[in-house]
């Protein structure tokens, strides 16, 4: 597997793409808005035989650096791996039908890894993860993330050769007998305050905790940050546990609907379950990133490969000027032959443990390592 990386920032390429007919896959993460369609469309002339996929972000990752208002592209030329890409908008069919269509196109014995890039504004991320996990089973590694929109929470964008409609999903299948794939997803947040019952919720909308408006609770805890909702709520995500599971997940807020007094989260808020506020400890967040890559490296890999890093916009907001420290601890653990790429997202998709069903996570660093 051969990879190359190119970065566009400040209205110019730091290193310009070159024509390469052998490239099979181009993955693009972009936090830029001006001229992005023109720039992304131009990639086809450099890589005429490649599938070109990507999504908008809340910050792009290359090596141990974070790029804002930029485009980061990574090209792949495989020796023993084939690629197949599926995309569909939820407006075309229901999510279960979409997943069934994906299975019909993508599921084969040699399918080793399914990389998921999903709309991060319209779709319920936990429903996406649950549907894909049920459709493809536990024998296929499924990891990826929800597209981002900086701290605007207005709309997100996906790209597969051309711009895709709102509410779209991209599934990139990797087929090989010689591809090594490992992953881990770790948070590092501390809980505080009492555990509260989710007394009213519908899907990913939260209305009440302990029979009180959830927005009121957040405003009480946020204090001076309350005027900056919903972005300021990223500093205080919720750890959620359903009544039928002992496995907690973290959920981050995407928006507030003042008409029905609900808070919209990236994934399901299970009515009757428990929710507890979380807060940041800088060192524990950075250590969480270190534990994620260390866990992923427990699986043997070749000396060359790619590390896909998907971290949450909430971590970026909380860590502030220290955000690149979590990238540095990951990068420092990898051999010189590994290329690093990724983005800050509105949600991360990965199983909790090897052989498990994929889930939606928030506020984690999710690391996927691949090598041939």
């Amino acid at each position: 597997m051969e990879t190359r990386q190119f970065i566009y920032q400040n209205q110019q390429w730091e290193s310009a793409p070159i024509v390469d007919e052998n490239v099979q896959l181009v993955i693009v993460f972009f936090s830029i808005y001006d001229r992005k369609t023109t720039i992304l469309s131009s990639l086809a002339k450099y890589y005429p035989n490649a599938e070109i996929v990507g999504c908008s972000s809340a910050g792009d990752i290359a090596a141990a650096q974070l790029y804002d208002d930029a485009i980061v592209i990574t090209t792949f030329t495989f020796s023993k791996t084939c690629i197949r890409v599926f995309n569909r908008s939820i407006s075309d069919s229901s999510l279960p039908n979409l997943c069934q269509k994906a299975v019909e196109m993508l599921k084969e014995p040699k399918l080793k890894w399914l990389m998921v890039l999903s709309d991060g504004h319209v779709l319920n991320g936990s429903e996406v993860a649950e549907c894909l996990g049920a459709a493809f089973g536990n024998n296929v590694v499924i990891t990826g993330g929800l597209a981002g929109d900086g701290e605007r929470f207005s709309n997100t964008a996906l790209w597969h050769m051309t711009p895709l409609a709102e509410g779209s999903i991209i599934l990139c299948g990797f087929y090989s007998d010689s591809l090594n794939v490992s992953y881990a997803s770790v948070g590092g947040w501390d809980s505080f305050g009492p555990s509260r019952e989710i007394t009213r919720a519908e899907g990913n909308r939260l209305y009440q905790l302990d029979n009180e408006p959830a927005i009121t609770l957040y405003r009480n805890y946020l204090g001076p940050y309350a005027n900056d909702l919903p972005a300021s709520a990223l500093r205080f995500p919720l750890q959620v546990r359903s009544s039928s599971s002992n496995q907690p997940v973290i959920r981050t807020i995407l928006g507030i609907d003042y008409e029905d007094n609900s808070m919209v989260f990236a994934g399901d808020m299970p009515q009757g379950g428990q929710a507890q506020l979380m807060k940041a400890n800088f060192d524990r967040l950075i250590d969480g990133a270190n534990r994620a890559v260390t866990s992923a490296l427990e699986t043997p890999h070749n000396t060359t490969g790619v590390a896909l890093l998907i971290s949450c916009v909430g971590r970026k907001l909380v860590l502030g000027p220290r955000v690149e420290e979590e990238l540095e601890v990951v990068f420092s653990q990898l051999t010189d032959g590994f290329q690093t790429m990724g983005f800050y997202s509105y949600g991360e998709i990965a199983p909790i443990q090897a052989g498990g069903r994929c889930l939606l996570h928030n506020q984690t660093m999710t690391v996927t390592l691949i090598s041939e």
Side-chain angles (χ1 to χ4, degrees), residues 320-343:
R322 294 186 61 183
V323 66
E324 287 187 337
E325 291 185 35
E326 75 166 357
L327 307 181
E328 291 166 0
V329 298
V330 173
F331 190 71
S332 66
Q333 298 277 8
L334 302 172
T335 63
D336 291 340
F338 261 78
Q339 190 89 258
T340 304
M341 65 175 186
F343 68 104

Side-chain angles (χ1 to χ4, degrees), residues 27-313:
I27 298 179
V28 188
F29 300 122
F30 49 93
S31 53
I32 193 172
Y33 284 83
D34 294 338
R35 298 188 64 237
K36 78 170 186 295
T37 300
T38 300
I39 296 167
L40 295 180
S41 297
S42 73
L43 296 178
K45 71 180 181 182
Y46 294 105
Y47 310 108
N49 299 316
E51 296 278 8
I52 302 173
V53 301
C55 68
S56 61
S57 75
D60 313 309
I61 298 169
Q65 288 185 264
L66 168 66
Y67 292 86
D68 286 311
D69 197 26
I71 298 173
V72 173
I73 78 167
T74 306
T75 68
F76 293 77
T77 305
F78 296 98
S79 59
K80 300 178 181 179
T81 300
C82 296
I83 302 298
R84 193 179 299 168
V85 178
F86 169 92
N87 82 72
R88 194 65 58 91
S89 170
I90 195 65
S91 63
D92 297 333
S93 62
S94 67
L95 189 56
N97 286 340
L98 183 153
C99 289
Q100 182 58 41
K101 293 291 185 182
V103 166
E104 293 171 3
M105 177 179 174
L106 299 176
K107 193 170 184 179
E108 291 184 7
K110 287 191 175 183
L111 177 59
K112 192 66 173 288
W113 176 39
L114 198 64
M115 184 186 73
V116 183
L117 299 177
S118 171
D119 176 286
H121 182 67
V122 174
L123 298 181
N124 180 333
S126 59
E127 290 181 357
V128 171
E130 181 179 354
C131 185
L132 291 175
F136 285 89
N138 296 354
N139 293 327
V140 178
V141 175
I142 303 176
T143 65
L146 310 186
D149 181 36
E151 297 174 25
R152 291 173 287 271
F153 299 96
S154 177
N155 57 72
T156 60
L158 268 69
W159 184 278
H160 178 210
M161 312 306 287
T162 62
L164 300 184
E166 187 178 52
S168 292
I169 297 173
I170 296 173
L171 304 176
C172 185
F174 292 71
Y175 302 81
S176 178
D177 289 326
S178 59
L179 191 70
N180 297 316
V181 183
S182 62
Y183 55 86
S185 186
V186 179
W189 295 75
D190 294 327
S191 58
F192 75 102
S195 180
R196 301 172 186 272
E197 183 181 356
I198 300 173
T199 47
R200 186 186 172 205
E202 295 177 10
N204 63 336
R205 288 178 177 263
L206 174 65
Y207 293 90
Q208 293 182 356
L209 293 169
D210 286 346
N211 296 308
E212 296 291 335
I215 293 177
T216 301
L217 172 69
Y218 259 92
R219 288 191 177 279
N220 290 340
Y221 275 97
L222 289 178
Y225 294 114
N227 293 331
D228 297 324
L229 284 169
S232 56
L234 292 170
R235 301 175 183 271
F236 302 95
L238 285 179
Q239 178 176 267
V240 176
R241 181 185 289 105
S242 71
S243 57
S244 60
S245 173
N246 291 323
Q247 183 63 58
V249 292
I250 298 178
R251 290 286 173 256
T252 192
I253 188 172
L254 294 181
I256 294 176
D257 188 336
Y258 289 105
E259 290 188 5
D260 66 2
N261 216 33
S262 68
M263 303 181 74
V264 183
F265 286 78
D268 279 346
M269 303 301 292
Q271 185 160 312
Q274 297 292 312
Q276 190 171 19
L277 283 162
M278 309 287 284
K279 62 182 178 180
N281 177 304
F282 288 171
D283 292 335
R284 277 176 46 76
L285 290 180
I286 294 167
D287 180 63
N290 183 62
R291 286 188 286 129
V293 69
T294 299
S295 179
L297 284 169
E298 291 177 358
T299 298
H301 279 271
N302 201 339
T303 55
T304 60
V306 169
L308 172 62
L309 312 183
I310 303 180
S311 187
C312 188
V313 61

